[in-house]
Amino acid sequence: MRNAEIAAALRELSVLYELDGADRYRVLAYKEAARTAQDSPVSLEQLASEGRLTELPAVGKTLAEKIEALIETGSIPAAEKLKAKFPPTLVDVTRVPGLGAKTARRLFDELGVTDLGSLGEAAEAGRIKELKGLGPKVEENVLASLETLPEPGEDSDRRLLSKILPIARELAEALAAHPASGRVEIAGSARRWSETCKDVDLVATASDARALAEALAENQLIAEERAGGEAGAQALTHTGVKVDLRVVPEKNFGNLLQHFTGSAGHNVQLRERALARGLSVSEHGVSKLGGKRVHRFTEEAGVYELLGLPYIEPELREGRGEIEAAEAGELPELLRLSDVRGDLHSHTTLSDGRNSVEEMAEAARRRGLAYLAITDHSASHGFGDHVTAKRLAQRIKEISAFNESAPRGFRLLAGSEVNIGTDGSLDYPDELLAGLDWVIASVHTSFAISEREMTERVLAAIEHPLVDCIGHLTGRLLLRREPYGIDVARVAEAAAANGTMVEINGNPNRRDLNEHHAKLAAEAGVRIVVNTDAHGVETLDNMQYAVATARRAWLSADQVANTRAWRSFAPLRKRAKKS
Ligand code: DGT
Ligand code: CA
Ligand code: ZN
């Protein structure tokens, strides 16, 4: 049994417990265990056979027994018992955005809803809005969601880049360390830093291709090999991720890397351009149509040069005008991670973060940043851990005390991530906001309003003189929650006019603004900031994803405000101009 299947069973059990009204901690424990199973690089079946399951984080004795039963019998007794109480298809109902287990349970008890089909019927018959506490908004939302819900299986095997990259990097490193290997590179959508990826693509050269294919099959991340030979190998990780390794001779490594980096759209356009010049491009080389000579290149740049183009960065290779821009010599010089001087969105234990102010500061400084804004959640963001106005006032003092004795060249900013109410209002008094160095305003609650209402709501925050920046503008969660309806073009226009910045949130689940919106906003004159939204010291590394989205949006360092030193960034804040 693969880890991914074990994870799915644990996730289902957590939802069943939730439907049964179990206490929150039990539900969370199973969710956490599902995540551990999903992410475990080693086979749980293997661990179980050695009696070592409890060595995994979040797996105690009870959980280990359940996993063992699952592996031995194919099901978990507790889950079977619960499935006798509710139809297992009720689990699908809990996945409809805005419903959740509590509501699903009520729909089952009060309306006899058992699955997505009967949910749709109840909504169409207008029975959901009759239920106390639900109302017409919920019903409209259900109808809209049922229309856009992905078909079962559709896109289900795509993963976040943050799940794919660690696997790709670990495999690439292991292969590179093998004596038979030459060059090893990550290719495909991971090299282009796409938001989600279907699989891991690796390209390599080797003195002994078969030995390298075997080395891949024997890697501890790999559960099974599907094919292997001279040309490479295909395999599956314990987490269910497909891995595609291609091996070529050194002399056409550049051609292969270019081909397997893609995207397919970029390659198609490149081939059209080649054809117009009487050339044919493939992973094997570039040749004159009808001619015998094949141009092979050890580096990708050779392929582009032969077609009369400068090198094009992988993040731009999406078939979105990069070839025309390259031809005209108008490719942007893209933002780099090392250009970023500050991070303007982070959380601490004061709200829902895991580290203290001091720990976050030290970790940010070690990453080479000159400033970090501490922006814990305000009072009404909806997930507990509120920061009261009084506590925030005290926090301002703590941060100024920290800065008194801060290491040279580093400072903290006293900030907040303030919730934007449904009516566009903020949940701290202006006097308090005025005492902060930096205010982000974000939407965290009541997503189910119309696009027009949502746009007005965010415009109100943009026009507020003490809002410096808008956080995760569209509220999407990749592969989990669609963005809410909002007129991004109108928002961008207003942000530019008011001097309100807009962030690219680097949380790999969000990447919000997305690359299209970020490009549009920058072109409209909005100052963009790249942020981590770190909830602990490790996620300060989210900056790589924010930078990736900025690069995929064609942004250069000067279009991103926090590439500036603090003394040049500070006056760009709206609050600095108004005072
Ligand atoms: P993914 O895997 O869906 O996240 O995206 P990619 O871009 O990694 O796609 P993948 O793994 O199917 O193929 C890797 C690269 O191989 C792709 O970016 C370009 C090249 N390729 C694959 N299929 C085609 C094709 O039909 N035509 C051309 N020109 N190139 C292709
Ligand atoms: Ca791929
Ligand atoms: Zn937020």
Side-chain angles (χ1 to χ4, degrees):
M1 184 171 279
R2 279 192 284 113
N3 291 352
E5 296 168 71
I6 296 173
L10 293 173
R11 215 173 293 123
E12 184 190 57
L13 180 58
S14 78
V15 180
L16 289 168
Y17 274 133
E18 216 176 347
L19 284 168
D20 197 35
D23 78 81
R24 190 170 148 239
Y25 295 100
R26 171 149 9 150
V27 172
L28 283 179
Y30 284 93
K31 284 203 160 70
E32 189 59 40
R35 214 166 297 136
T36 303
Q38 181 77 49
D39 294 343
S40 167
V42 293
S43 156
L44 263 64
E45 185 165 344
Q46 177 71 28
L47 285 179
S49 71
E50 295 163 10
R52 292 172 52 207
L53 280 174
T54 50
E55 288 173 22
L56 289 168
V59 176
K61 211 165 139 268
T62 324
L63 250 157
E65 279 164 12
K66 289 199 163 73
I67 297 172
E68 281 157 12
L70 176 65
I71 292 169
E72 273 162 36
T73 68
S75 69
I76 304 173
E80 293 309 304
K81 247 191 237 159
L82 290 168
K83 283 183 197 169
K85 276 174 101 170
F86 331 100
T89 46
L90 197 55
V91 172
D92 302 334
V93 174
T94 67
R95 296 207 183 99
V96 174
L99 288 191
K102 273 209 188 76
T103 312
R105 175 68 192 269
R106 283 195 59 201
L107 293 169
F108 173 67
D109 289 341
E110 298 174 37
L111 298 178
V113 166
T114 56
D115 57 11
L116 294 178
S118 51
L119 175 70
E121 285 162 22
E124 271 160 25
R127 279 152 58 210
I128 294 179
K129 67 167 183 287
E130 311 282 294
L131 292 191
K132 207 168 154 237
L134 292 187
K137 284 261 159 68
V138 175
E139 188 166 278
E140 275 164 37
N141 197 30
V142 164
L143 287 169
S145 305
L146 285 179
E147 249 168 55
T148 56
L149 219 58
E151 295 293 317
E154 184 188 319
D155 260 9
S156 61
D157 52 357
R158 293 196 76 78
R159 315 273 178 128
L160 288 178
L161 180 60
S162 55
K163 300 283 179 193
I164 292 291
L165 261 189
I167 297 172
R169 285 172 176 163
E170 184 172 340
L171 291 175
E173 254 171 53
L175 292 179
H178 191 276
S181 80
R183 297 170 66 179
V184 182
E185 295 280 352
I186 298 168
S189 49
R191 182 162 180 243
R192 303 195 312 276
W193 292 81
S194 302
E195 294 164 351
T196 63
C197 305
K198 181 188 67 196
D199 56 7
V200 170
D201 298 294
L202 298 170
V203 300
T205 64
S207 57
D208 181 347
R210 275 179 194 282
L212 201 64
E214 273 165 35
L216 175 70
E218 283 159 17
N219 188 284
Q220 59 156 4
L221 296 186
I222 299 299
E224 59 183 89
E225 190 185 24
R226 297 197 152 167
E230 280 299 319
Q234 280 170 4
L236 200 63
T237 68
H238 292 296
T239 51
V241 174
K242 283 190 237 97
V243 180
D244 199 344
L245 167 69
R246 314 267 172 158
V247 185
V248 271
E250 169 71 25
K251 62 181 186 302
N252 61 336
F253 182 78
N255 300 89
L256 186 82
L257 180 60
Q258 194 287 318
H259 177 80
F260 282 104
T261 297
S263 64
H266 173 83
N267 285 356
V268 165
Q269 291 184 9
L270 205 64
R271 280 169 192 209
E272 279 166 6
R273 179 184 174 87
L275 284 180
R277 303 176 159 226
L279 294 168
S280 151
V281 179
S282 79
E283 61 263 51
H284 309 294
V286 185
S287 51
K288 261 226 147 37
L289 288 175
K292 280 210 187 77
R293 170 138 195 247
V294 181
H295 298 268
R296 296 190 178 86
F297 299 100
T298 58
E299 308 305 324
E300 286 181 306
V303 178
Y304 289 102
E305 197 186 329
L306 193 70
L307 299 173
L309 298 172
Y311 177 78
I312 301 175
E313 300 278 4
E315 293 93 328
L316 296 180
R317 300 183 199 169
E318 293 292 343
R320 298 179 189 151
E322 68 277 9
I323 293 175
E324 293 80 349
E327 159 124 72
E330 284 166 3
L331 286 176
E333 185 169 335
L334 297 180
L335 173 75
R336 288 164 308 167
L337 185 58
S338 58
D339 293 327
V340 178
R341 307 290 296 276
D343 182 354
L344 294 149
H345 189 163
S346 72
H347 299 266
T348 71
T349 48
L350 190 55
S351 63
D352 52 352
R354 286 176 303 276
N355 290 96
S356 67
V357 168
E358 291 75 19
E359 288 163 342
M360 293 298 281
E362 178 57 16
R365 201 183 61 82
R366 279 177 185 274
R367 282 167 172 76
L369 294 181
Y371 48 103
L372 172 70
I374 303 289
T375 55
D376 278 304
H377 288 287
S378 62
S380 66
H381 69 112
F383 354 110
D385 312 310
H386 308 154
V387 180
T388 61
K390 198 167 154 231
R391 185 62 188 89
L392 184 58
Q394 190 188 331
R395 177 46 74 80
I396 295 175
K397 292 198 190 114
E398 290 161 9
I399 288 190
S400 87
F402 174 94
N403 284 334
E404 298 270 303
S405 58
R408 263 181 76 88
F410 183 81
R411 75 160 61 222
L412 284 179
L413 313 183
S416 177
E417 183 180 12
V418 180
N419 197 30
I420 308 174
T422 338
D423 58 356
S425 65
L426 307 179
D427 50 5
Y428 286 130
D430 283 358
E431 305 81 74
L432 181 57
L433 294 179
L436 292 164
D437 301 313
W438 174 254
V439 170
I440 303 177
S442 317
V443 169
H444 290 110
T445 52
S446 311
F447 298 157
I449 58 179
S450 69
E451 175 172 328
R452 203 182 46 79
E453 289 170 304
M454 186 62 89
T455 305
E456 294 300 331
R457 178 179 180 183
V458 172
L459 286 179
I462 284 176
E463 286 161 10
H464 194 295
L466 293 165
V467 168
D468 300 293
C469 181
I470 301 295
H472 47 71
L473 179 66
T474 75
R476 71 162 175 181
L477 292 176
L478 283 162
L479 304 174
R480 295 213 306 268
R481 184 171 82 205
E482 291 295 313
Y484 38 71
I486 184 163
D487 184 340
V488 175
R490 237 183 108 201
V491 163
E493 208 177 286
N498 284 275
T500 312
M501 301 187 198
V502 181
E503 76 169 3
I504 294 176
N505 186 299
N507 176 333
N509 294 281
R510 293 189 180 273
R511 309 231 352 224
D512 187 4
L513 303 176
N514 71 25
E515 60 217 39
H516 306 284
H517 293 152
K519 190 161 191 275
L520 175 157
E523 282 166 3
V526 177
R527 282 193 207 281
I528 305 288
V529 289
V530 283
N531 283 340
T532 65
D533 197 359
H535 281 67
V537 292
E538 309 80 23
T539 37
L540 285 168
D541 287 337
N542 286 349
M543 193 59 86
Q544 61 184 323
Y545 299 110
V547 168
T549 289
R551 289 169 65 87
R552 290 174 60 83
W554 295 47
L555 300 190
S556 54
D558 63 310
Q559 289 174 294
V560 174
N562 51 334
T563 57
R564 290 167 179 70
W566 170 247
R567 70 173 179 287
S568 342
F569 178 84
L572 299 180
R573 293 167 306 154
K574 202 160 75 186
R575 65 186 51 241
K577 291 180 184 154
K578 292 278 150 80
S579 60

